[in-house]
Amino acid sequence: MVRVTRVASGSIAEELGITPGTELVSIGGRALDDFLDWEFLSSDEAIELEVRQPSGDSVVYEIERDLSEPFGLDLEPPTVRRCANRCEFCFIEGLPKGLRKPLYIRDDYYRLSFAYGNFATLSNLKERDYARILEYRLSPLYVSVHATPWDARKKLLNNPRVPNVVEQLTRLAAGGIRFHCQMVIVPGLNDGDVLEQSLTDLWSFGDAVMTVAVVPVGLTQFSHLYTGKSMSAADAAALLATAERWADRARQERGDAWVYGSDELYLLAGRELPGPEFYGDFAQIENGVGAVANLRGRVAAHLSQLPRLDGQRFAVVTGTAMAPILPQILDGLASQTGAQFELIPVVNSLFGPTTTTAGLLVGRDIRSAVAACRDADVVLIPAESINEDGVFLDDDTLAAVRADSVLPIVPSYDFVDVLSGDALDSWRVGVKAA
Ligand code: SF4
């Protein structure tokens, strides 16, 4: 059973008399457990839908519809499936105490991998899950492989009962499922020969493995489980050398790079990042692979359309990782618009100095950065640091930070979203209203 939370006005669902709180029980006699069952089983032109109304009455509808017309209903959010692993590098284990509860949920669910691109380890897959993935063709899946040699993977996931991922991928690939894989590298555990073997195994899947990301282990000052080494510049350079050797081969044999070092890996190694053409369709941008190239590309594409902003002074708050990257981008924006940009890199006060990503800055960091602004008219902050409700990871809110600031504070993803003509007007209105 899956419960309806919203019904669009004028929709098929409303016409049928479905209301928020109605439980969708089955289609054609098959039980509905979640949004996946609903999405796939309701995709025929003619269906028999059994529902339980909020009153408790059961109703069966015979529905015929044009597939271009949506049902017009929202379902309750999917339940989580708790992760069975205990990775030493788990970011959730590296959170400080006292944050909001949902942040501590260690979810590891293939359906969120398919629906939202979350990485899953597949270590808790049951027979019914394989059947659903194959029947519904849940592809591509985003898989945290980390290592294909079984013993190394057991150690990395800190789970002696973890299944053999090569066998799992083989079974799913035989059913037409494809994968984006990530390898979070812990120096001494899954670099060197283990990485080589893992890439060899993943390469043997051919087109079924679409991309592989090589990501350095990311730790906070609270990563209490971690007993390994931190990643040095030499470790990062060695990982990149392996990734680039495989990428050269992949480009020759299949036309794309296939394996990609994350942006952080290049920064750790002190290496210049590749240009946008290296990343193809940026399949793993949410995993920090190609995000800098994408930012540079977006700024370059819109630069000539930006208005003159002579005399305007912008303070740009960022994490320490972007401090060496942004000056070149801001110089380009300054010469195009005539505005001045002051870069304010901030050390993360919640997670510690090893957490350098701008998107993980918290409200307290923004407050201290704003206090450090000398001559700005507007403060730009990383839009990724707040959720859709305007809340930072430390539960501070954008509204509260703005209320305590004499300067306008505007979230920005890529600068051009704020500096371009229409956006400029809207944030000016927004600033006045805030
Ligand atoms: S798989 Fe590892 S990193 Fe992911 S949630 Fe579980 S313990 Fe944490």
Side-chain angles (χ1 to χ4, degrees):
M1 173 280 291
V2 58
R3 192 171 284 110
V4 174
T5 55
R6 194 187 70 88
V7 175
S9 138
S11 65
I12 295 178
E14 187 185 57
E15 229 175 90
L16 292 171
I18 291 174
T19 58
T22 299
E23 295 169 358
L24 308 179
V25 178
S26 66
I27 290 179
R30 287 187 61 177
L32 299 171
D33 280 346
D34 62 13
F35 70 96
L36 283 179
D37 289 330
W38 166 253
E39 287 295 327
F40 287 86
L41 297 177
S42 68
S43 62
D44 289 337
E45 285 180 348
I47 61 168
E48 183 189 85
L49 171 66
E50 180 190 358
V51 308
R52 193 174 305 113
Q53 294 175 328
S55 61
D57 293 341
S58 286
V59 181
V60 176
Y61 299 106
E62 302 283 345
I63 303 169
E64 278 190 34
R65 68 176 176 126
D66 184 335
L67 287 181
S68 62
E69 203 181 340
F71 274 99
L73 49 78
D74 289 347
L75 303 178
E76 61 192 348
T79 53
V80 298
R81 183 181 284 182
R82 286 183 196 276
C83 169
N85 312 308
R86 198 161 159 76
C87 308
E88 287 194 4
F89 53 82
C90 179
F91 187 78
I92 293 163
E93 291 290 342
L95 292 175
K97 290 189 174 30
L99 304 180
R100 54 186 181 274
K101 276 191 181 148
L103 294 174
Y104 296 100
I105 296 171
R106 289 188 301 130
D107 199 4
D108 192 16
Y109 214 156
Y110 66 91
R111 62 186 187 185
L112 301 185
S113 170
F114 169 71
Y116 304 118
N118 296 5
F119 278 92
T121 65
L122 310 184
S123 47
N124 52 12
L125 280 197
K126 301 175 174 61
E127 276 308 309
R128 173 171 149 67
D129 299 325
Y130 283 106
R132 288 215 318 165
I133 292 170
L134 294 169
E135 180 187 356
Y136 296 161
R137 288 282 177 130
L138 303 184
S139 176
L141 292 178
Y142 290 76
V143 183
S144 285
V145 171
H146 304 326
T148 56
W150 200 358
D151 284 342
R153 193 161 192 263
K154 286 177 187 171
K155 203 165 178 180
L156 281 156
L157 299 186
N158 216 348
N159 178 2
R161 296 194 307 181
V162 75
N164 182 325
V165 74
V166 174
E167 290 173 8
Q168 291 185 292
L169 297 182
T170 301
R171 179 173 176 186
L172 293 170
I177 307 301
R178 303 177 79 192
F179 316 98
H180 292 290
C181 301
Q182 74 161 346
M183 316 279 296
V184 173
I185 303 295
V186 176
L189 275 189
N190 58 340
D191 50 2
D193 291 346
V194 175
L195 177 60
E196 197 63 39
Q197 184 60 53
S198 300
L199 293 174
T200 304
D201 289 339
L202 294 176
W203 181 258
S204 72
F205 282 94
D207 289 346
V209 171
M210 300 167 74
T211 61
V212 181
V214 178
V215 181
V217 63
L219 303 168
T220 77
Q221 60 182 341
F222 302 101
S223 297
H224 60 104
L225 294 177
Y226 193 70
T227 57
K229 290 197 303 172
S230 55
M231 186 158 294
S232 67
D235 294 330
L239 291 171
L240 277 179
T242 302
E244 287 171 346
R245 178 165 42 77
W246 276 93
D248 285 345
R249 174 180 176 183
R251 264 196 301 267
Q252 281 171 20
E253 295 185 27
R254 53 181 279 170
D256 59 25
W258 183 68
V259 59
Y260 303 87
S262 71
D263 292 0
E264 199 186 347
L265 198 58
Y266 282 91
L267 295 172
L268 275 171
R271 289 270 313 276
E272 181 51 47
L273 287 139
E277 64 290 343
F278 178 74
Y279 295 99
D281 57 2
F282 290 92
Q284 295 219 30
I285 192 167
E286 298 295 332
N287 201 14
V289 177
V292 171
N294 189 267
L295 172 66
R296 284 175 169 156
R298 276 182 292 158
V299 170
H302 293 93
L303 199 58
S304 64
Q305 296 139 35
L306 294 179
R308 293 298 300 176
L309 295 165
D310 298 277
Q312 293 262 14
R313 298 164 305 174
F314 293 88
V316 175
V317 181
T318 189
T320 50
M322 288 299 279
I325 305 283
L326 285 184
Q328 184 230 355
I329 294 173
L330 298 180
D331 285 351
L333 291 168
S335 45
Q336 174 66 28
T337 63
Q340 294 170 26
F341 294 88
E342 179 194 3
L343 185 61
I344 306 183
V346 186
V347 175
N348 194 304
S349 65
L350 183 64
F351 298 114
T354 55
T355 302
T356 58
T357 312
L360 294 176
L361 290 177
V362 296
R364 191 168 56 200
D365 302 326
I366 304 300
R367 288 172 184 275
S368 61
V370 172
C373 288
R374 291 281 168 267
D375 300 312
D377 299 312
V378 179
V379 182
L380 303 183
I381 65 166
E384 301 86 350
S385 61
I386 48 173
N387 67 12
E388 62 273 17
D389 299 319
V391 182
F392 295 93
L393 278 170
D394 62 355
D395 276 352
D396 207 349
T397 65
L398 178 60
V401 174
R402 277 176 166 167
D404 291 342
S405 168
V406 291
L407 294 173
I409 298 173
V410 183
S412 171
Y413 287 102
D414 58 10
F415 309 117
V416 291
D417 55 358
V418 172
L419 302 179
S420 60
D422 290 351
L424 200 59
D425 293 337
S426 66
W427 75 250
R428 280 179 171 141
V429 171
V431 166
K432 280 183 205 138

